[in-house]
Amino acid sequence: ILASILSLIIYWLIRDSQRVRNLSGKHVFITDCDTGLGNSLAKWLDKRGFCVIAACTTEKGGEELRSCSSLSLKTVNLNLADSNSIARAVMFVTEETAGKRLFGLVSNAEGTTPVAPTDWLRIEDFHSVLDVSLLGLIEITLKLLPLLKKAEGRVVNLINAKGLMAFVGGGYSLSKWGMEAFSDTLRIEMQHFGVKVSIVEHGFFKAGVVNSDVIEKYLLRLWNRLTPEIRDSYGEKYF
């Protein structure tokens, strides 16, 4: 038993000491790179020599990222709630990689609002989060799998660990738990093709000032649209 445990430890140490070589020419596509974790990762991989394709939700975000990166970093606009936008981004990635291989896909999306007690919400409130943070990420992953399989590449899904604690109503926690399940299933299926699928459950990190006014605005809008019966059942003190 001790020999088996020792052998396993040695295997882990050897495996974890491995580093990717010959980074030049390896393409990595990252979503949600305007700010935060996606933005930082795009800059870091660019400095390491990867060919980074960074998806941004705004033109301004793309311009600011290009201004502080190398010429090899490319940006593309992407709205994960829009299938047409996803299709255009996939076409851009296919052209940049010459339709051959995609070394890595890093999915990172933080659609959060609205969050509120569940019976304050309508189905479209769930869609506004899930269409971006779950279904959009699944759709773009499916469309990029052919390029990832050619490269025996890897999928890395960044999931905020706070979303795995179901402490508030809305689609936020649903999207994080859904990405966990999707990733675990995909990992098993893609082993046949040599594609690795990883989850990075990150904690809180400083990505700018949190605007509590936005949260309060959503809560007030939801409160005001409630029926009198539901408002009375909660009361002004609860709100």
Side-chain angles (χ1 to χ4, degrees):
I1 293 174
L2 289 175
S4 298
I5 294 174
L6 182 60
S7 298
L8 190 58
I9 292 173
I10 293 173
Y11 165 74
W12 278 338
L13 290 173
I14 294 174
R15 184 196 63 176
D16 292 344
S17 67
Q18 293 178 347
R19 293 291 181 268
V20 176
R21 307 298 179 187
N22 302 319
L23 306 183
S24 179
K26 286 183 167 62
H27 288 82
V28 178
F29 179 66
I30 311 171
T31 67
D32 199 16
C33 293
D34 297 75
T35 58
L37 195 55
N39 183 275
S40 298
L41 180 61
K43 294 175 182 176
W44 188 80
L45 291 179
D46 178 54
K47 290 179 180 178
R48 300 278 293 183
F50 285 96
C51 296
V52 176
I53 306 173
C56 298
T57 57
T58 64
E59 289 282 357
K60 180 181 179 182
E63 291 174 0
E64 291 178 351
L65 181 56
R66 289 194 302 271
S67 68
C68 56
S69 305
S70 73
L71 295 177
S72 66
L73 184 142
K74 308 294 182 183
T75 62
V76 59
N77 286 356
L78 175 61
N79 177 6
L80 285 169
D82 182 359
S83 291
N84 292 327
S85 178
I86 290 174
R88 288 192 293 270
V90 170
M91 181 61 69
F92 183 85
V93 173
T94 302
E95 292 172 352
E96 286 295 319
T97 60
K100 294 180 180 179
R101 300 194 296 176
L102 178 63
F103 181 75
L105 165 62
V106 182
S107 292
N108 168 49
E110 279 289 288
T112 56
T113 53
V115 290
T118 300
D119 64 348
W120 292 20
L121 301 171
R122 299 172 182 171
I123 192 63
E124 55 265 28
D125 297 319
F126 286 87
H127 275 294
S128 68
V129 178
L130 294 175
D131 287 351
V132 173
S133 296
L134 179 59
L135 298 178
L137 290 181
I138 290 175
E139 183 175 354
I140 199 160
T141 301
L142 295 177
K143 291 186 175 179
L144 289 173
L145 279 179
L147 294 177
L148 290 162
K149 287 158 69 175
K150 290 179 181 178
E152 294 189 356
R154 61 267 297 128
V155 177
V156 180
N157 290 323
L158 306 181
I159 298 175
N160 197 321
K162 72 173 183 273
L164 301 178
M165 300 178 288
F167 62 92
V168 66
Y172 186 71
S173 290
L174 293 178
S175 68
K176 303 311 174 189
W177 288 21
M179 281 306 295
E180 290 265 340
F182 174 72
S183 302
D184 289 343
T185 303
L186 189 67
R187 181 182 306 112
I188 297 169
E189 297 167 346
M190 288 295 108
Q191 285 180 350
H192 177 72
F193 302 98
V195 175
K196 298 179 177 66
V197 179
S198 302
I199 301 170
V200 176
E201 294 175 351
H202 62 83
F204 294 91
F205 61 92
K206 188 174 181 179
V209 179
V210 176
N211 188 355
S212 60
D213 292 340
V214 174
I215 298 174
E216 291 182 16
K217 179 182 176 181
Y218 267 100
L219 284 173
L220 181 60
R221 179 176 64 84
L222 295 173
W223 175 258
N224 288 333
R225 82 178 186 189
L226 292 176
T227 63
E229 291 79 10
I230 295 180
R231 273 204 303 269
D232 291 342
S233 70
Y234 282 92
E236 291 285 346
K237 184 178 180 180
Y238 183 95
F239 175 69

